[in-house]
Amino acid sequence: MEWEIVNSKAVTPQGVMENATIRIKDGRISSISAGIPKDVLPIRINLRGNFVYPGLINAHDHLLGTYLPKVGTNRPYLNWLPWDNDLKSSVVYAERQQLEPEQLYLLGAYKNLISGVTSVLDHIPHFVQKPFLDKSPVRILERFTLSHSICSYSLGWGDGPQIEYARAKEGNLPFVTHISEGFDEESKNAVRELNSLGCLGENTVLVHGIAFDSEDIKTVSKTKANLVWCPESNLFMFGKTAPIQEILEAGINVSLGTDSPMSGSVNIFQEIKSAREFFAKEYGKELDPKIVFKMVTENPAKALRVENDLGKLEIGKKADLLVLSSEKEDAYQTLCTADLKSVRLVVKDGKPSYGDLSLKDFFDETGVTGREIKIAGTDKYLAGDPLGLLESVTRALGYKKDLAFFPVG
């Protein structure tokens, strides 16, 4: 299948291309050029000057934990374990347990999709996520090795850091682990512990880093390990987050992740806003919108070892696209101030997944079936059967649940 976008502002690695035409063939970007070509493809979408970005990448989520409200009875916590204990003993967790894992995974996928995310790193053992990979409307990145965390009270994910890290290096995979998620001695010493095991390197993806000190940052930088920053979750649970300015100045590759809604953001747009608000308050200056853009596109693509396919608008890469309305002149500011109403179209693997209801003919032409739906008060068309999902959630709970991350109606 071949189709094209015309009259767009394409956010490419070289900058913003005005009056851009993007051609898609067999699920990949076949060309990006300025101007409108004389030959017309059978399917053409005129974006009337809207911005086109690569599909966003959420570098850290727990899709099985897609539920609300947040849990945090005894904040601030010393580390993640007492929060987990509060979670497991809460009324909201008992309510969540009435839903099937497939329902939670689909809710998590739609939560990401409607905010322009086309790829998610779902940090959980593979046997948990495997049944839902082919059913998800977003791409759940499955090629990684993992530990839960680097401490004596870590959950038993994987076969231990050294074995998992060795597998990552052998298979060109990311090795993903929570680290320094708290302020007890083990959290403070986690980087030194992981380094002593020989498990820090370009394949290492460290999530959180709240307790990083200057030596930790030097070590992470020297070993070229990557960091996923989740400020909304960190600030909610601990009242603190990673020393991000020092981390950025050290040249560490930083991505953004939402964590689950039970501690973190309702979507990637909120995470972006939380990151920028924290940076402005903590350091008295703006977090560069171009840096933020990279944190949700090319930086996670590099960290998660998928840069050959994702993270940039380039010829040959997968046609994962996000179209945002262009009320602002600057593409990067537009992304940093975007909300659910800003999203005009989301494309994954060269096919529309979500967009304005006015684009329904485009969905039909590309063979994508979905449902008319109202998101945040705007008329949309969403692939799959989201209304059926919500009806099944209502039946399971016995009442209609208000889900801020999926605001239908």
Side-chain angles (χ1 to χ4, degrees), residues 188 192 209-218 243 246:
K188 292 178 181 178
R192 286 178 280 278
I210 303 168
F212 278 10
D213 61 21
S214 295
E215 288 304 311
D216 293 333
I217 293 169
K218 288 178 184 176
E246 189 176 352

Side-chain angles (χ1 to χ4, degrees), residues 74-83 153 180-188 210-211 237-238:
N74 295 298
R75 294 181 293 149
Y77 294 99
L78 181 63
N79 56 52
W80 65 267
L81 184 58
W83 175 83
Y153 46 89
S180 300
E181 190 181 5
F183 299 98
D184 60 311
E185 285 305 306
E186 288 194 60
S187 295
K188 292 178 181 178
I210 303 168
M237 289 173 60
F238 305 102

Side-chain angles (χ1 to χ4, degrees), residues 76-380:
Y77 294 99
L78 181 63
N79 56 52
W80 65 267
L81 184 58
W83 175 83
D84 193 62
N85 291 335
D86 280 355
L87 171 69
K88 299 291 174 55
S89 62
S90 68
V91 172
V92 67
Y93 183 81
E95 181 181 271
R96 192 186 93 184
Q97 293 302 95
Q98 298 179 64
L99 299 183
E100 296 294 330
E102 182 175 348
Q103 292 172 304
L104 293 167
Y105 262 83
L106 284 172
L107 288 173
Y110 282 129
K111 171 201 78 170
N112 279 285
L113 184 61
I114 64 174
S115 61
V117 171
T118 54
S119 299
V120 180
L121 194 291
D122 173 43
H123 188 198
I124 204 163
H126 295 292
F127 74 88
V128 177
Q129 63 177 207
K130 187 175 181 179
F132 315 112
L133 297 175
D134 294 336
K135 302 174 183 179
S136 173
V138 296
R139 181 183 299 101
I140 300 174
L141 299 171
E142 58 178 314
R143 298 188 73 252
F144 62 94
T145 69
L146 83 164
S147 290
H148 175 268
S149 50
I150 308 302
C151 55
S152 62
Y153 46 89
S154 173
L155 300 180
W157 294 1
D159 294 320
Q162 289 170 300
I163 293 174
E164 295 287 322
Y165 180 72
R167 287 173 181 160
K169 289 192 70 176
E170 181 180 358
N172 189 31
L173 306 172
F175 164 64
V176 183
T177 183
H178 299 101
I179 198 165
S180 300
E181 190 181 5
F183 299 98
D184 60 311
E185 285 305 306
E186 288 194 60
S187 295
K188 292 178 181 178
N189 291 325
V191 170
R192 286 178 280 278
E193 172 66 18
L194 194 60
N195 194 36
S196 72
L197 296 174
C199 297
L200 279 178
E202 293 182 9
N203 297 75
T204 309
V205 180
L206 305 171
V207 182
H208 297 309
I210 303 168
F212 278 10
D213 61 21
S214 295
E215 288 304 311
D216 293 333
I217 293 169
K218 288 178 184 176
T219 300
V220 173
S221 177
K222 183 179 179 180
T223 58
K224 299 183 180 180
N226 307 273
L227 178 73
V228 180
W229 184 33
C230 305
E232 177 76 15
S233 178
N234 299 162
L235 294 169
F236 175 77
M237 289 173 60
F238 305 102
K240 295 182 180 179
T241 189
I244 194 64
Q245 178 172 261
E246 189 176 352
I247 288 167
L248 291 171
E249 288 174 349
I252 294 169
N253 182 52
V254 178
S255 306
L256 275 179
T258 61
D259 219 335
S260 82
M262 300 197 79
S263 67
S265 297
V266 296
N267 58 43
I268 200 72
F269 293 149
Q270 182 184 356
E271 196 68 39
I272 288 171
K273 291 179 176 65
S274 294
R276 299 189 79 227
E277 288 170 3
F278 168 79
F279 199 91
K281 182 178 180 181
E282 185 74 7
Y283 304 113
K285 56 185 177 182
E286 181 183 60
L287 179 57
D288 187 341
K290 287 187 178 180
I291 291 176
V292 175
F293 166 71
K294 289 184 177 182
M295 286 181 176
V296 292
T297 54
E298 62 183 78
N299 289 6
K302 178 183 178 182
L304 301 173
R305 321 298 278 186
V306 291
E307 64 263 58
N308 289 338
D309 286 325
L310 304 172
K312 296 179 181 178
L313 284 188
E314 284 185 332
I315 295 171
K317 286 189 168 28
K318 286 183 181 291
D320 279 21
L321 311 174
L322 165 63
V323 178
L324 295 178
S325 55
S326 53
E327 282 81 5
K328 295 182 181 293
E329 291 296 321
D330 183 83
Y332 308 102
Q333 286 284 359
T334 293
L335 176 63
C336 287
T337 57
D339 57 23
L340 296 182
K341 294 182 179 179
S342 308
V343 178
R344 304 271 75 87
L345 177 66
V346 180
V347 174
K348 182 178 77 72
D349 287 324
K351 289 190 175 183
S353 297
Y354 173 66
D356 290 342
L357 184 57
S358 60
L359 295 171
K360 184 179 180 301
D361 287 346
F362 175 42
F363 283 76
D364 293 340
E365 289 173 317
T366 51
V368 176
T369 58
R371 297 286 297 271
E372 296 182 19
I373 195 168
K374 193 178 287 288
I375 297 287
T378 59
D379 292 326
K380 300 291 184 179

